[in-house]
């Protein structure tokens, strides 16, 4: 009997397996530059370089730059049974839509009870649907469908993610609505907007009293930036707290179950900001937290941190003209954004050789956001990705990865065929980042150059960033580069006539303004350090690479320059 049973059991197991212009009047005087291996960085992440001049500090901003928020991850706490819900100063909870947990860095993990991997559209397993090229299954498996469009309301992937977030919202418990009469009796002023209600103990002023209207406008602008229909904002009702004296708000009970924060915090339908003394920065901080609430409500998750914090910083940086709000600006100067000193942080770090690579930015965690450095670099990277013409289209997809596992890996997969180019462009951006930076004048043509046949003459523009010469310089060979012509350098005190030799009246990154510079870009996107050419030089590269040329100027001023000049490149015998 035992033998029969073993044979029967074995059977069960077995069955279950299964083109050249006119001659140039060029000077023959040259300087020789030897480019050796040490002067060549094989890593596109090396951005140590020459000193960068910095703008004057903004008026009244000698104090320490305020932080957006404190980074203390905390446990999510359900508001069910919260004493605040039974407080006589409050009414019953409202059905709302603003994100919970998370502020600048004091974030609570999202409590999304819906299992994204087990509730996909269609039938069958993830593997089965992937084999049938189901775009949603591909999306879930990290195989990003190239064709999907996050700005198309009918796109199935967009619909899928937004529907998931909507379903998750049904499980959240929002903060109760405050009783307005009781709040007035507490010494705290109440200012009503359409979707935003502001509670503050700061004294009345025309600009401050306009904050609710500004925040209402900001919410609409935020939705537009992320392609969300305004109709989806109808259910938004957010209480904003601008705090001068904490004790008043503690007595009111609104800080109960809110972890300590130094500057700002966001929790579902409530956002908080401590008075930063600058009205500009107070408004910025409230918009920053509003971005967090919006993103959590629409997309669900709060990670990766660099994207969440960088997006809040970049979106909230604003310009207000005739009561019309423009978000996501690049500041014209330091005085336009008092209290916001992130650009100076980027420039100082770059000067010291401490600029951050994308990988270092991806690794930022909650504790990194206690100071302003992580905010500055997250802001700069999101600003770069959102504005660079070569990368911004795909970057629109990133918010939709916040609900899925390994969002940083998914981000890199979007640019896997262009990653080395992206690294080079990022490094060039941080080297030349300045007020009024013009992304339209800075994109780099990454087409590989061809070997030089005799000589080649070029016309270069004075108002562009790096320009591809179309020439590949070969390792071990010697080349002479000569330049001639006159162009105009823009200057606040009047335009300056210039030649490729530059003007020593002003320096930028250690070189005279307007001086002709060169750089070699190798096949792996590694590059030589920038080298000066001026009116002429000789070079003997140790590595082969495409030659790029530009005049020395910041990314914020180059667009205002005028004119062109000529450059001749020819192979020599090394003498």
């Amino acid at each position: 009997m035992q033998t029969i049973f073993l044979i029967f059991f074995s059977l069960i197991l077995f069955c279950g397996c299964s083109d050249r212009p006119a001659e140039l009047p060029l000077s023959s005087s040259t300087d020789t530059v030897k480019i050796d291996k040490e002067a060549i960085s094989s890593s596109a992440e090396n951005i140590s370089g020459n000193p960068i001049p910095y703008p004057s500090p903004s008026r009244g901003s000698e104090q320490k730059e305020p932080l957006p928020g404190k980074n203390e991850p905390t446990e999510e706490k359900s508001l069910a049974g919260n004493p605040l819900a039974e407080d006589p100063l409050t009414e019953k909870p409202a059905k709302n839509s603003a994100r919970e947990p998370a502020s600048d860095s004091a974030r609570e993990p999202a409590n999304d009870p819906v299992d994204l991997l087990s509730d996909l559209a269609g039938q069958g397993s993830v593997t089965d649907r992937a084999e049938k090229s189901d775009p949603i299954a591909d999306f879930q498996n990290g195989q990003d469908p190239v064709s999907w469009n996050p700005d198309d309301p009918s796109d199935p992937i967009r619909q899928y993610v937004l529907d998931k977030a909507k379903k998750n919202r049904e499980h959240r418990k929002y903060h109760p609505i405050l009783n307005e009469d009781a709040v007035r009796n507490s010494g705290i002023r109440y200012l009503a907007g359409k979707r935003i209600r502001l509670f503050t103990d700061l004294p009345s002023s025309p600009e401050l009293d306009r904050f609710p209207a500004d925040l209402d406008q900001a919410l609409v602008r935020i939705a537009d930036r992320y392609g969300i229909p305004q109709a989806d904002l109808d259910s938004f009702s957010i209480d904003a707290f601008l705090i001068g004296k904490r004790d008043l708000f503690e007595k009111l009970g609104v800080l109960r179950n809110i972890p300590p924060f130094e500057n700002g915090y966001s929790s579902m339908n409530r956002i908080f900001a401590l008075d930063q003394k600058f009205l500009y920065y107070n408004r910025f901080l409230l918009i920053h937290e509003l971005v967090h609430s919006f993103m959590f409500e629409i997309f669900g998750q709060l990670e990766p941190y660099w994207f969440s914090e960088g997006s809040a910083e970049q979106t909230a940086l604003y310009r207000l003209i005739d009561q019309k709000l423009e978000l996501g600006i690049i500041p014209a100067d330091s005085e336009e954004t008092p209290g916001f000193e992130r650009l100076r942080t980027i420039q100082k770090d770059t000067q010291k050789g401490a600029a951050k690579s994308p990988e270092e930015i991806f690794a930022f965690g909650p504790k990194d956001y206690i100071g302003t450095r992580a905010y500055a670099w997250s802001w700069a990277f999101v600003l770069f990705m959102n504005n660079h013409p070569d990368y911004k289209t795909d970057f629109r997809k990133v918010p939709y990865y916040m609900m899925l596992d390994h969002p940083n890996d998914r981000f890199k997969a979007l640019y896997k065929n262009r990653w080395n180019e992206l690294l080079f462009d990022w490094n060039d951006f941080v080297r030349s980042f300045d007020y009024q930076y013009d992304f339209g004048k800075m994109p780099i043509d990454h087409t590989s150059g061809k070997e030089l046949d005799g000589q080649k003459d070029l016309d270069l523009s004075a108002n562009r960033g790096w320009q591809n010469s179309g020439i590949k310089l070969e390792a071990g060979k010697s080349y002479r580069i000569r330049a001639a012509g006159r162009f105009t350098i823009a200057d606040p005190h009047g335009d300056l006539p210039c030649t490729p030799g530059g003007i020593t009246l002003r320096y930028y990154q250690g070189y005279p303004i307007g001086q002709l510079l060169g750089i070699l870009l190798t096949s792996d996107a590694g590059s030589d350090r920038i080298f000066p050419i001026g009116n002429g030089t000789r070079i003997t590269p140790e590595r082969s690479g495409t030659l790029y040329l530009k005049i020395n100027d910041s990314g914020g001023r180059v667009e205002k320059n005028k004119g062109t000049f000529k450059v001749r490149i020819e192979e020599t015998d090394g003498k």
Side-chain angles (χ1 to χ4, degrees), residues 15-75:
C15 294
C17 299
S18 8
D19 89 157
R20 172 179 168 187
E23 294 291 318
L24 297 170
L26 297 169
S27 170
S28 60
S29 63
T30 62
D31 298 316
T32 301
V33 173
K34 175 77 172 182
I35 303 180
D36 57 22
K37 293 182 180 179
E38 288 72 25
I40 298 176
S41 169
S42 61
S43 169
E45 296 178 8
N46 182 1
I47 34 182
S48 59
N50 298 288
I52 298 175
Y54 302 111
S56 303
S58 60
R59 296 177 190 164
S61 61
E62 291 79 8
Q63 68 180 53
K64 181 180 178 181
E65 179 185 5
L67 304 172
K70 184 175 181 178
N71 299 39
E72 294 184 2
T74 63
E75 290 184 7

Side-chain angles (χ1 to χ4, degrees), residues 102-318:
S103 134
D104 285 320
S105 302
R107 22 175 116 246
E108 306 162 15
N111 182 18
D112 289 338
V114 180
D115 185 348
L116 300 179
L117 295 177
S118 64
D119 189 20
L120 299 174
Q123 301 296 322
S125 69
V126 172
T127 303
D128 291 339
R129 286 192 299 278
E131 291 174 352
K132 296 175 183 178
S133 298
D134 183 326
I136 294 177
D138 291 345
F139 179 73
Q140 282 284 4
N141 285 310
Q143 301 168 357
D144 191 61
V146 177
S147 61
W148 84 279
N149 180 5
D151 295 318
D152 179 4
S154 65
D155 186 274
I157 292 177
R158 172 192 161 106
Q159 287 183 327
Y160 165 71
V161 174
L162 297 183
D163 286 347
K164 284 294 183 184
K166 182 177 181 180
K167 187 174 181 180
N168 289 339
R169 290 198 293 270
E170 298 174 357
H171 299 266
R172 298 182 189 141
K173 296 181 182 296
Y174 295 94
H175 293 284
I177 293 177
L178 289 177
N179 182 296
E180 299 165 10
D181 292 333
V183 169
R184 290 191 184 98
N185 296 331
S186 70
I188 295 173
R189 298 191 301 124
Y190 160 67
L191 303 169
K194 181 179 179 180
R195 299 184 178 96
I196 311 294
R197 305 190 312 162
L198 179 68
F199 300 91
T200 183
D201 61 326
L202 300 187
S204 175
S205 72
E207 186 173 3
L208 178 61
D209 294 351
R210 199 174 59 235
F211 270 27
D214 293 341
L215 293 172
D216 277 330
Q217 191 180 163
L219 183 58
V220 173
R221 299 287 185 270
I222 294 165
D224 287 344
R225 285 175 66 85
Y226 291 97
I228 303 302
Q230 292 189 22
D232 289 5
L233 301 178
D234 290 344
S235 60
F236 272 67
S237 178
I238 295 176
D239 286 347
F241 300 89
L242 181 55
I243 304 171
K245 298 178 180 178
R246 283 181 182 264
D247 59 333
L248 294 179
F249 294 85
E250 289 171 349
K251 291 178 181 177
L252 187 61
V254 297
L255 295 178
R256 194 175 300 149
N257 293 325
I258 298 298
F261 61 93
E262 296 179 3
N263 296 276
Y265 189 79
S266 171
S267 176
M268 290 190 302
N269 54 323
R270 290 183 178 177
I271 60 176
F272 304 86
L274 298 183
D275 178 26
Q276 305 294 312
K277 308 307 178 184
F278 298 105
L279 280 175
Y280 180 94
Y281 203 88
N282 282 341
R283 188 188 285 111
F284 163 83
L285 193 53
L286 286 169
I287 298 174
H288 177 114
E289 301 303 337
L290 184 60
V291 173
H292 278 318
S293 287
F294 172 87
M295 291 185 70
F296 180 79
E297 187 70 10
I298 298 298
F299 301 109
Q301 290 285 12
L302 303 176
E303 296 183 358
Y305 287 96
W306 68 266
F307 181 80
S308 178
E309 298 298 348
S311 295
E313 290 278 291
Q314 198 247 325
T315 303
L317 200 59
Y318 68 93

